[in-house]
Amino acid sequence: MLRIAKSLPQRLTSRPYSSTFIDYGKANLVTSNDHGVHGNMKSTGSWRNKPLFRREGDARFKTGQEAGLMLLGEAERRDAHETEFISTVSSTMTHLSTVFDRSPRYAWIAKQLLEPERILHFRVAWIDDVGVQRTNRGYRIQYNSALGGYEGSLHFGHHVNSSVLKSIGFDTVFSNALTGYNQGAAVGGADFNPLTKSEAEIQRFCQSYMTELSKYIGPDHDVPNMGMGCGVAEIGYLFGQYKRINSRTSSNGKSFLWGGTPSFPEATGYGIAHYAEALLNDKNESLEGKRCLIYGSGKVAQTVAEKLIEYGAVPIAFSDTSGHIYEPEGFDRGKLRTVVKVKKDRGAKVGRYIIASTTCQYNDPANFWDIPCDLVFPCGPMGSIDKEQIQMLSEAGCEGVIEGGYSSVTPEARIEIKKQGMHYLPSSVSLTGPTLVSGMERELRGKTVTDEDLKNDVIRVFKEVKNTAQEFNTRGDLHAGSAIMGFLRVANVMAAQGAV
């Protein structure tokens, strides 16, 4: 293994749980006094002379940027049709080019990461309420297990396909790694839309899906968790079927799939709000008094709003496929409870809320992004916000975007955010709440993790990501910091394990 790995701080490979944040100071991730920022270590020359690819002649690179472009070209050669995956790889390789400059060997490790360890694609057959046989596509992508057993979200919806899941899985590798806990990365789901199905149909589908999935998951091997379209009810049905066909359902005092009852289902939404507060505190600001636009109205959006209210912020709008509701004076706890009650029924639309409110504006203004705000929390699908919408938000005085959904901001919009000088927190950081809770639960041997524990871990991760960005001359770019930090944690372990 390269000397570079020996210079890494202990916290980059493992982090014993502590409920109190420890300020580790500036992260010295790759360089040291004898390595130098330009990678002038003894092994640099030998690695630069090796071909990164041996197809159609030996392909070598001179700079980190060239290495990134070669790796992106390889991803496009193999999976050009998977646009979401290619987009994610492209933005990540842009940030990793500085790492390849300092230590060329990392380019070979990044090449391994382009390919998941295992892709499971299977048929899910079930019977609907009128007795008709239905068929959906089920997936589980076990992307990387360098740091430990697989762990990652399940997503149910008509938008789910291999490209979307590979994109999320690739991001999850870095996202899980930057938490500091020894957790691998996986993702899964099916092109099944629970919003248009009855509870009986959802249960039958989950039982069929788990019947096949159970062959490849389990305690200490692969632990799925909640995601888009897969909430507390779906987890309960999935665990019920897993328990029916497996005798072992727990490990180290922790029940597999939480025994069907997630211990901290609000972790995603609360984590997003905690990260937003950490981001603003770093700018000598706070959430108090900030008018917050929430794109979406599902469980994540609701719990984000709940925690924002606790911080003194003012959620002013929610949306779904039917339109949006806007409270000019904001949603207080009582109004939020009404929204939660309205959305409790599957497939219910936010428009029902206007029956219970005399101050609500429904689809007024007509364009959701015309609503004046300080912060935006996009809790919707991929690509919810594009470049033009960022321009509209910036012109209206919006200060920043905190992602509450996987890659809710397009790559072009991300560039525009930086150009406009707005705050930005990427989903690779903001959505680590469930992984942090899972890691703490495992180290605490099943003891209850509190919201205060989550908040402390959020602050720790945020500061480490910030320091990483600064170390690699991308100060303030948390997207770059998270990609580099997560990659280095995984890459140094992969380097020790060899070509596997």
Side-chain angles (χ1 to χ4, degrees):
M1 190 171 178
L2 284 175
R3 291 170 57 206
I4 191 170
K6 296 179 181 179
S7 69
L8 292 172
Q10 178 68 24
R11 65 183 178 81
L12 286 182
T13 53
S14 65
R15 189 199 68 84
Y17 170 73
S18 170
S19 60
T20 304
F21 169 73
I22 301 174
D23 189 353
Y24 291 95
K26 185 177 179 181
N28 188 19
L29 297 177
V30 173
T31 62
S32 70
N33 292 334
D34 55 332
H35 288 165
V37 296
H38 299 295
N40 53 357
M41 61 189 81
K42 293 180 181 179
S43 62
T44 295
S46 62
W47 280 101
R48 286 196 189 279
N49 291 328
K50 292 182 179 181
L52 185 57
F53 296 104
R54 290 186 177 276
R55 187 179 60 257
E56 299 174 0
D58 291 349
R60 294 176 173 82
F61 62 89
K62 296 181 179 179
T63 66
Q65 184 178 18
E66 287 182 3
L69 291 174
M70 290 172 68
L71 291 166
L72 175 59
E74 178 69 3
E76 290 175 336
R77 182 187 72 84
R78 292 179 173 183
D79 305 303
H81 61 289
E82 296 182 335
T83 55
E84 293 86 358
F85 176 64
I86 295 300
S87 177
T88 300
V89 170
S90 176
S91 61
T92 302
M93 292 306 163
T94 299
H95 299 313
L96 296 184
S97 60
T98 56
V99 178
F100 305 150
D101 266 329
R102 297 188 184 194
S103 180
R105 183 181 185 179
Y106 282 108
W108 277 262
I109 301 174
K111 182 172 71 171
Q112 283 182 260
L113 279 174
L114 293 179
E115 196 67 28
E117 292 179 5
R118 189 175 296 106
I119 298 180
L120 308 169
H121 180 183
F122 49 90
R123 179 178 64 216
V124 184
W126 55 283
I127 306 295
D128 67 17
D129 287 341
V130 295
V132 175
Q133 179 175 319
R134 308 284 288 274
T135 304
N136 289 97
R137 289 180 172 180
Y139 303 90
R140 186 65 176 174
I141 300 177
Q142 295 173 334
Y143 211 106
N144 189 278
S145 60
L147 293 177
Y150 302 107
E151 183 161 334
S153 51
L154 292 176
H155 306 278
F156 295 152
H158 59 81
H159 65 285
V160 173
N161 56 46
S162 61
S163 177
V164 168
L165 293 180
K166 280 181 68 177
S167 173
I168 296 174
F170 187 76
D171 259 349
T172 302
V173 174
F174 308 119
S175 185
N176 282 6
L178 62 84
T179 65
Y181 296 104
N182 295 326
Q183 297 173 121
V187 66
D191 60 346
F192 169 86
N193 185 7
L195 297 179
T196 59
K197 307 297 188 297
S198 69
E199 286 298 318
E201 289 176 326
I202 293 170
Q203 181 173 342
R204 287 194 291 272
F205 167 81
C206 288
Q207 289 173 340
S208 181
Y209 177 79
M210 179 52 78
T211 298
E212 181 65 23
L213 186 66
S214 64
K215 303 171 185 176
Y216 313 103
I217 65 174
D220 300 326
H221 175 54
D222 184 354
V223 181
N225 55 37
M226 294 181 289
M228 295 178 288
C230 181
V232 174
E234 287 78 12
I235 290 294
Y237 296 142
L238 290 168
F239 176 75
Q241 183 68 2
Y242 184 87
K243 183 180 68 171
R244 173 190 278 178
I245 55 183
N246 288 274
S247 58
R248 182 169 177 246
T249 60
S250 66
S251 176
N252 297 323
K254 180 183 177 183
S255 296
F256 181 63
L257 288 177
W258 309 278
T261 307
S263 57
F264 199 158
E266 306 87 1
T268 303
Y270 285 9
I272 294 167
H274 289 320
Y275 274 115
E277 177 71 1
L279 173 65
L280 293 177
N281 287 346
D282 187 60
K283 309 293 183 183
N284 295 319
E285 303 177 44
S286 74
L287 281 170
E288 187 165 359
K290 298 291 186 184
R291 292 171 61 82
C292 302
L293 203 61
I294 301 177
Y295 185 76
S297 57
K299 294 294 184 181
V300 172
Q302 294 166 20
T303 50
V304 167
E306 179 185 341
K307 188 54 64 175
L308 287 176
I309 292 172
E310 288 186 26
Y311 273 119
V314 185
I316 57 175
F318 294 94
S319 71
D320 62 17
T321 55
S322 69
H324 59 269
I325 51 175
Y326 169 41
E327 285 279 9
E329 299 302 318
F331 290 86
D332 56 22
R333 287 184 173 83
K335 292 178 180 179
L336 178 59
R337 282 196 295 269
T338 303
V339 173
V340 172
K341 185 177 180 180
V342 166
K343 294 292 293 184
K344 191 173 182 179
D345 295 333
R346 290 186 184 274
K349 305 300 181 184
V350 292
R352 290 189 192 177
Y353 172 80
I354 61 174
I355 300 174
S357 174
T358 58
T359 57
C360 175
Q361 297 176 200
Y362 181 55
N363 289 340
D364 180 24
N367 191 333
F368 181 78
W369 308 109
D370 284 334
I371 300 174
C373 65
D374 297 313
L375 296 171
V376 175
F377 292 79
C379 301
M382 285 183 172
S384 298
I385 302 182
D386 58 25
K387 178 180 178 180
E388 289 70 24
Q389 289 160 345
I390 290 297
Q391 291 172 340
M392 292 172 62
L393 289 166
S394 179
E395 290 171 2
C398 180
E399 300 172 7
V401 179
I402 290 84
E403 284 189 308
Y406 292 92
S407 300
S408 297
V409 175
T410 65
E412 296 75 20
R414 197 178 297 126
I415 294 172
E416 187 64 23
I417 288 174
K418 191 172 183 179
K419 179 180 177 182
Q420 296 292 342
M422 300 167 67
H423 305 318
Y424 174 58
L425 193 67
S427 59
S428 56
V429 179
S430 63
L431 297 182
T432 57
T435 310
L436 290 171
V437 169
S438 179
M440 285 187 278
E441 286 180 338
R442 187 165 55 251
E443 294 194 3
L444 290 171
R445 300 286 180 176
K447 293 182 181 178
T448 302
V449 174
T450 67
D451 184 49
E452 189 65 22
D453 293 330
L454 174 60
K455 180 180 177 180
N456 289 332
D457 250 18
V458 161
I459 294 172
R460 171 185 60 81
V461 172
F462 174 82
K463 289 189 176 182
E464 290 180 351
V465 171
K466 174 195 168 186
N467 290 342
T468 303
Q470 185 172 340
E471 165 71 9
F472 283 82
N473 302 320
T474 57
R475 184 172 182 173
D477 190 339
L478 300 178
H479 189 255
S482 64
I484 294 170
M485 178 176 161
F487 172 74
L488 288 174
R489 283 182 168 167
V490 173
N492 282 292
V493 177
M494 291 178 67
Q497 295 174 353
V500 295

